[in-house]
């Protein structure tokens, strides 16, 4: 569209935010009664993470959260999205609650509110209790649904008086594909397609029942889950490429978003899975619960980093590869695909980051428009950001590339809003630098530089605001009205 004469400002009450996840920032991995998560174990398997980095110490947010919140206040941040470590609340995944864990998040929430920052909680950002993995293989068992809802309900009852914004699951598509197809996240399984779809069904049920539990307790809460949405462009005008895009959409995007928003799987995707004998098994009543939860979500959470290209893939074409760039050496990722259906070649029109992620601000607008057309739901951009090598020079970090990246994405987001998309919040990834799961500490995302490297003993962990910190501060102050100048 070409909308003219629009107000330059973002909507009143727009939530300018930034995000993090417990395992990536907190550290204190075995303190104050915390149990072990699957990530605490996985990072100790040789070869799994870049230079064997762990989140044992991470950026020590657990001990420095007051300093971090003070910086958020200085910046003028309106919302901070963070996740809760399940193992701080229930060290064994269930059973007796660990009051020290509750107390930590109480302090964090109160600190945010006292500084006029709206807390936005992610219930699950991948750090499943190892005890549940050991007992029944975690997400592989239907038992996870009740334990998840028990955990989520504890958060709702203890924090729901002060927290109104809830994201149940972070990137269900990523933790399941990396965990059961690519072997790159716990439990490290490869090409276990049948289990991949079953695990996803369990996660959908955990999401749905948690949404209903939250609304039963706090009807005015706002809830959704966050999907890693990488919209696809058809490679060419060939009908077979248009069909490859449609197949990709149904199998890789709508497969998740349709369940959140409509409470049902895309028909073509289910037909494909049934023909392969890998469709998920339902229990009686699942359909109704998924549909009821879908009627109760308030927004679609979107983590947007990049777009992809869909091209027809012959039956003897490329499959799924676990060769992804985790070193920052450009050009070390491989093309992925599903033989006979689609593949995702390079987009010749887009630049890429050092980790081979395409840089496509218009893709963010495309994503918002697609969600709005298909679901007509409000949107929370729960992550968007640039992973880059940053350098501390004479006490300063100059990151014009990050400013350029975020600014271009915000300009496109504003166009999407002008075109009718209801965007409630925009959270950058991330506030401080943090551990990038597979890529170590050298892939930095923050507005605030943290002095540490891969090695656990390195650095002072001091916080140093980057140039982008001051740019975002000004953008918030002017409510985005000067982005195009
Ligand atoms: C998302 C996750 O996948 O993207 C974050 O929700 C993650 O936890 C972020 O850190 C960036 O990915 P990466 O692999 O560069 O850390």
């Amino acid at each position: 569209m070409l909308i003219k004469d629009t107000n330059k400002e973002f909507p009143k009450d727009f939530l300018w935010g930034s995000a993090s996840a417990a395992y990536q920032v907190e550290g204190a991995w075995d303190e104050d009664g915390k149990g072990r998560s699957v990530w605490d174990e996985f990072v100790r398997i040789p070869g799994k993470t870049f230079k064997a980095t762990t989140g044992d110490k991470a950026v020590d947010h657990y001990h420095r959260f007051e300093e971090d919140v003070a910086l958020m206040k200085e910046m003028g941040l309106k919302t901070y999205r963070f996740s809760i470590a399940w193992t701080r609340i229930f060290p064994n995944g269930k059973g007796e609650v660990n009051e020290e864990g509750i107390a930590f998040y109480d302090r964090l929430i109160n600190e945010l509110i006292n500084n006029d920052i709206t807390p936005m909680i992610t219930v699950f950002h991948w750090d499943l209790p190892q005890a549940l993995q050991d007992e029944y293989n975690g997400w592989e068992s239907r038992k996870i649904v009740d334990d998840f809802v028990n955990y989520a309900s504890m958060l709702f009852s203890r924090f729901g008086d002060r927290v109104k914004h809830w994201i149940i699951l972070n990137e269900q598509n990523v933790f399941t594909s990396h965990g059961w197809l690519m072997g790159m996240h716990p439990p490290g399984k490869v090409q276990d397609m049948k289990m991949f779809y079953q695990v996803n069904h369990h996660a959908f049920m955990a999401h749905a029942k948690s949404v209903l539990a939250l609304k039963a307790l706090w009807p005015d809460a706002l809830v959704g889950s966050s999907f890693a949405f990488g919209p696809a462009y058809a490679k060419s005008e060939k009908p077979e490429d248009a069909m490859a895009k449609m197949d990709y959409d149904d199998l890789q995007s709508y497969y998740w978003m349709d369940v959140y928003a409509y409470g049902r799987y895309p028909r073509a995707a289910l037909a494909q899975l049934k023909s392969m004998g890998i469709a998920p098994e339902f229990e009686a009543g699942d359909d109704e619960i998924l549909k009821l939860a879908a009627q109760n979500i308030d927004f679609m959470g979107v983590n947007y980093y990049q777009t992809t290209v869909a091209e027809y893939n012959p039956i003897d074409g490329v499959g799924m590869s676990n060769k992804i760039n985790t070193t920052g050496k450009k050009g070390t990722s491989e093309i992925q695909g599903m033989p006979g259906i689609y593949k995702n070649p390079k987009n010749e029109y887009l630049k890429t980051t050092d980790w081979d992620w395409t840089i496509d601000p218009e893709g963010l607008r495309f994503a918002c428009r697609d969600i709005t057309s298909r679901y007509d739901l409000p949107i929370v951009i729960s992550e968007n950001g640039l992973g880059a090598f940053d350098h501390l020079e004479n006490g300063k970090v100059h990151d014009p590339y990050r400013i350029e990246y975020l600014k271009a994405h915000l300009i496109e987001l504003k166009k999407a809003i002008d075109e009718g998309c209801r965007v409630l919040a925009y959270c950058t990834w991330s506030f401080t630098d943090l551990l990038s799961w597979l890529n170590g500490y050298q892939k930095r995302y923050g507005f605030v530089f943290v002095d540490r490297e891969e090695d656990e003993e390195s650095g002072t962990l001091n916080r140093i605001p980057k140039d982008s910190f001051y740019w975002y501060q000004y953008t918030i102050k002017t409510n985005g009205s000067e982005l195009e100048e």
Side-chain angles (χ1 to χ4, degrees):
M1 306 293 169
L2 181 63
I3 314 281
K4 291 194 181 145
D5 295 319
T6 58
N7 179 355
K8 286 197 175 235
E9 283 198 29
F10 276 63
K12 194 175 150 285
D13 302 327
F14 186 73
L15 289 173
W16 296 96
S18 201
S20 74
Y23 188 70
Q24 298 178 271
V25 294
E26 285 180 4
W29 75 297
D30 58 356
E31 280 181 47
D32 298 338
K34 180 182 168 294
R36 286 189 168 213
S37 78
V38 290
W39 272 95
D40 290 322
E41 301 288 335
F42 191 72
V43 294
R44 291 179 158 69
I45 303 172
K48 288 294 184 190
T49 62
F50 179 72
K51 294 194 175 169
T53 37
T54 76
D56 289 4
K57 201 197 277 179
V59 295
D60 201 28
H61 180 66
Y62 189 80
H63 297 114
R64 296 168 198 241
F65 74 90
E66 284 161 330
E67 183 185 350
D68 291 340
V69 174
L71 284 165
M72 291 174 203
K73 171 77 175 171
E74 183 187 335
M75 179 187 250
L77 211 64
K78 305 286 183 209
T79 187
Y80 175 52
R81 171 186 175 228
F82 61 96
S83 79
I84 306 267
W86 186 339
T87 50
R88 288 199 195 281
I89 308 299
F90 290 111
N92 294 314
K94 57 185 168 178
E96 208 180 317
V97 65
N98 174 34
E99 289 297 338
E100 282 183 284
I102 298 273
F104 167 68
Y105 293 109
D106 264 333
R107 288 197 298 276
L108 174 58
I109 290 165
N110 293 341
E111 190 71 14
L112 289 167
I113 291 171
N114 291 338
N115 285 285
D116 305 316
I117 300 163
T118 301
M120 186 183 290
I121 289 186
T122 311
V123 173
F124 181 75
H125 201 125
W126 308 349
D127 43 357
L128 183 80
Q130 181 65 36
L132 301 184
Q133 187 65 33
D134 294 342
E135 186 185 327
Y136 52 69
N137 292 327
W139 287 106
E140 295 186 13
S141 162
R142 178 81 191 204
K143 289 184 185 159
I144 190 72
V145 177
D146 286 348
D147 286 337
F148 187 97
V149 179
N150 174 58
Y151 155 64
S153 299
M154 177 61 69
L155 307 187
F156 303 152
S157 74
R158 300 295 282 269
F159 307 135
D161 57 335
R162 286 153 291 155
V163 177
K164 293 294 161 217
H165 296 76
W166 295 88
I167 288 169
I168 306 294
L169 299 174
N170 180 70
E171 295 190 353
Q172 183 184 326
N173 55 331
V174 171
F175 83 79
T176 56
S177 59
H178 283 59
W180 281 269
L181 300 179
M182 298 161 81
M184 304 193 80
H185 282 191
K189 301 218 169 147
V190 180
Q191 284 303 332
D192 194 346
M193 299 273 277
K194 171 108 181 116
M195 188 53 84
F196 167 72
Y197 287 107
Q198 195 58 44
V199 156
N200 270 289
H201 188 66
H202 299 155
F204 282 129
M205 295 311 299
H207 154 90
K209 289 189 166 188
S210 300
V211 166
L212 297 176
L214 174 64
K215 290 289 182 165
L217 209 54
W218 305 102
D220 64 334
L222 297 176
V223 66
S225 274
S226 282
F227 180 67
F229 189 18
Y233 305 142
K235 169 81 179 162
S236 77
E237 66 273 45
K238 284 190 216 155
E240 63 186 28
D241 286 347
M243 191 53 72
K245 173 196 156 41
M246 195 175 264
D247 288 346
Y248 180 89
D249 286 347
D250 272 357
L251 288 163
Q252 294 292 352
S253 301
Y254 303 147
Y255 192 83
W256 284 268
M257 290 196 288
D258 279 11
V259 182
Y260 297 146
Y262 296 143
R264 57 164 169 73
Y265 292 103
R267 285 183 195 279
L270 261 200
Q272 174 66 38
L273 302 187
K274 278 185 188 150
S275 81
M276 295 166 78
I278 54 175
E281 281 157 31
F282 281 51
E283 278 187 5
D286 284 2
D287 267 328
E288 290 72 21
I289 292 167
L290 291 175
K291 289 218 163 66
L292 197 57
Q295 288 158 17
N296 276 277
I297 64 162
D298 299 284
F299 57 82
M300 185 67 74
V302 177
N303 292 357
Y304 174 77
Y305 289 92
Q306 55 178 331
T307 49
T308 190
V309 174
E311 180 180 19
Y312 173 67
N313 189 17
I315 195 71
D316 56 352
V318 293
M320 185 159 250
S321 149
N322 62 359
K323 273 226 170 119
I324 60 171
N325 174 350
T326 58
T327 57
K329 234 181 244 149
K330 269 195 175 193
T332 50
S333 288
E334 276 184 358
I335 288 178
Q336 310 269 347
M338 200 165 166
I341 304 181
Y342 66 78
K343 64 182 167 189
N344 305 123
K346 221 171 146 264
N347 188 329
E348 304 297 337
Y349 299 94
L350 296 175
K351 288 190 187 146
T352 56
T353 71
D354 285 327
W355 279 263
D356 295 327
W357 294 22
T358 58
I359 301 177
D360 183 9
E362 256 182 298
L364 176 58
R365 178 176 166 204
F366 190 97
C368 292
R369 288 282 302 277
D370 197 17
I371 289 170
T372 300
S373 294
R374 195 170 174 97
Y375 308 116
D376 196 23
L377 274 171
I379 296 167
V380 165
I381 303 298
S382 36
E383 288 181 30
N384 174 234
L386 175 70
F389 294 107
D390 291 331
H391 302 286
L392 182 62
E393 285 158 326
N394 304 322
K396 300 229 184 282
V397 179
H398 302 300
D399 56 347
Y401 37 87
R402 182 167 293 105
I403 295 174
E404 188 191 333
Y405 178 100
L406 295 174
K407 185 175 169 184
H409 283 76
L410 280 169
I411 289 172
E412 292 300 325
L413 186 64
K414 178 62 170 46
K415 287 184 196 162
I417 294 170
D418 292 343
E419 289 162 345
C421 300
R422 291 171 293 160
V423 184
L424 308 178
Y426 173 78
C427 295
T428 68
W429 188 261
S430 51
F431 185 70
T432 61
D433 286 339
L434 40 69
L435 171 67
S436 171
W437 305 89
L438 304 177
N439 315 287
Y441 291 91
Q442 65 164 7
K443 188 180 187 185
R444 293 175 181 269
Y445 280 95
F447 288 127
V448 177
F449 184 90
V450 178
D451 178 25
R452 74 153 292 167
E453 289 166 25
E454 316 311 329
D455 151 32
E456 285 299 281
E457 305 315 317
S458 66
T460 58
L461 296 171
N462 283 345
R463 273 69 171 140
I464 298 126
K466 305 177 191 176
D467 288 355
S468 57
F469 177 100
Y470 299 103
W471 167 82
Y472 200 52
Q473 181 185 54
Y474 187 73
T475 301
I476 297 173
K477 195 172 145 210
T478 49
N479 202 22
S481 62
E482 293 180 28
L483 282 167
E484 296 203 52
E485 284 160 20

